[in-house]
Every structure is written in C-alpha cells, then in structure tokens.
Amino acid sequence: MIAAMAIALAAGLASALMFASITSGAAISLLLIILAPLPLMVVGLGWGAATAAIGGGAATVLIAALFGLPYSIAFVLVNVLPAWWLAHLILLARPHHNAAGDPDDALEWYPVGRILIWIVIFATIVTAATLLTMGGDAATIQKTLRTGWVELVEATGLVLNDSTLDALVLIAPIGAEITAVAMLTINLWLAAKIAATSGRLHRPWPDLKSTTLPMTAIAVLFAAIVCSFAGGLLAIMAQVLTSGLSMAYAMTGFAVLHTLTLAMKSRALWLGCVYAVVAGFAWALLAIALLGLADAVFGFRERYLRSRSPPPLPKS
C-alpha cells in the first residue's frame, strides 16, 4: 500500500512538472505537455485506476498552489480525468458466458471501440471548453481565433490575405479536436505498452485489428454533420464533434487495412505506403475514415475473415 502511494505521488509529480513546463517557453515543453497524462496512465494501468486518481489529485493540488485555480482545472480536464477513467475502462471485465449459458474461464474485457468513443468524448470536452474560454458566441470565438492567427503570422513575418485567415479560423477548432484525439490515443497506447512490458498490465493485449465502434456512433456522426451547417456556436461544436468521430473512424479504417492485407506477401510495404501518404497529405485521412465508416455499415472485415476461415468439418 505504501509503495503504491509512493508510485502514485511520483507519477502525479511527474505529470504536474510536465504540464507546468509550458510556462518555461522552451520548445521541448510542447512535447512534455502532450505527454503529461502518460505517467498517470501508466500507474492507472499498472496499479489500478484509484492509484491514478490519488496521483492526479496530489498533482492538482500542487498545480493549484503554484499557478492558481484555472490551471488546476485545465490539468484535471486534460490529464487526470482521462487517465483515471480510461484506466478504469481498460481494466474493466466481466465473466464471459458461452452460447450454452455456462460460465467460461475467460473474461470479457471492455471493448476497445468504446474506449475510442470515450477518448473522443474527453477530446471534445477539452476542445469545447477551450473555445468557450474565448467567448460565449460564435462571432467572439472566431474573432479571438482570427486575432491569434494574425499575431502568430506577424511574428513569423508572413503576410496572409483575408480568405486564408478565414480558412485558418475555420479549421482551428477541427485541428484542435483531431490533435486531442490523436494525442490521447497515443498516450494510452504508450502507457499500455509500458505496463505490458513491465508485466503490470492485468489484461491480455487486445486484437486492435478487430476494433469496431458502436453502431450508435454512426447516428451521432450524421447528426453532428447536419448540425455543422446550422450556423453559430452549435455549428462550431458540431464540427468539433464531427472531426473527433471522424478521427475515431479513421482508426477503425486503419484496422480494416491491417485486416484486409493479412494475406499479402508485401503487406508491410503496402501499409507503409498508406501511412506515408496519410502523413504527407492530411486529406487522405478522410479516405481512411470513410473506409472505417463503410466497414461499420457493410462489414468488410467480417466477410473477409469468414472467407479465410476453414470450412466446418462434416458431421459423422
């Protein structure tokens, strides 16, 4: 118990220092603040979600004492809550029952697809809260974003026309949401890898190729797309949610690619080319998201795996 408390406090201190490094203005602080949830996620997966909560609570008190209440609230939303809740979900399991209804020795773990949905929820909350600190309506938020872009552009010595600035203002919330989803996912994956390598991950490693999102996510996505054309603050928030869910479907799209290329001899080359294209052309991520969405509707992976499975043995 004492050892777990010490580990929790150490992780909380590390996370708080990484979060506070942004005040230094150093370039490396951008990397540190992105990885700030990682220590809490590692202890959450290795020693339980309660340990992450204890470490996060201690870190929140430290941040509040050094920088004030607003910074501590931001720290809780960005680092503590995701680390605690996602660790809880990953370690959540129930007895698995076979078709006959008899208990099975195996456990049924919380689905990875639903964990992705929770990542989108946390990212959307953080992005929406950040936007609302800029103003209570769409016009004020866009004006604040535009001012920020103008100051940034002037600092670099570049000159942009009004149409380019308008485009940057439009894509800023979308880019923030996509970045938040990606960073939370990467932190969680790194934390799980660290815990698994150290032997502290108390669940089997999931088959990421089989990741699927719940069907209700499709309805939410299409509702968000419709609301994106409503105008005003509702449209901005709907665009944020649309981009977050699209990022989740892009991840399932990559899972589809990893499944459909199983039989290819040059699988590594093909996957490498796809990742290179996505890294070089951001719009290609939309195509991957559409693939994930199409798989959710038509079940490409299930059909492919069924076609590769051996036929059942004839009854004697």
Side-chain angles (χ1 to χ4, degrees), residues 141-158:
I141 292 173
Q142 291 171 346
K143 182 180 178 180
T144 304
L145 288 172
R146 188 181 182 88
T147 302
W149 277 117
V150 169
E151 293 176 354
L152 179 62
V153 169
E154 288 179 349
T156 59
L158 298 175

Side-chain angles (χ1 to χ4, degrees), residues 67-145:
F67 303 103
L69 185 61
Y71 279 92
S72 65
I73 294 175
F75 180 78
V76 170
L77 285 177
V78 175
N79 299 315
V80 180
L81 283 179
W84 163 68
W85 186 244
L86 293 176
H88 166 72
L89 293 179
I90 286 179
L91 300 178
L92 195 62
R94 62 185 180 185
H96 181 70
H97 296 271
N98 56 25
D102 298 327
D104 197 350
D105 293 335
L107 293 175
E108 183 181 1
W109 298 92
Y110 197 79
V112 175
R114 293 185 180 273
I115 293 174
L116 268 181
I117 292 297
W118 276 105
I119 288 176
V120 172
I121 291 172
F122 280 119
T124 303
I125 290 173
V126 170
T127 304
T130 303
L131 292 173
L132 290 176
T133 60
M134 301 178 184
D137 57 85
T140 305
I141 292 173
Q142 291 171 346
K143 182 180 178 180
T144 304
L145 288 172

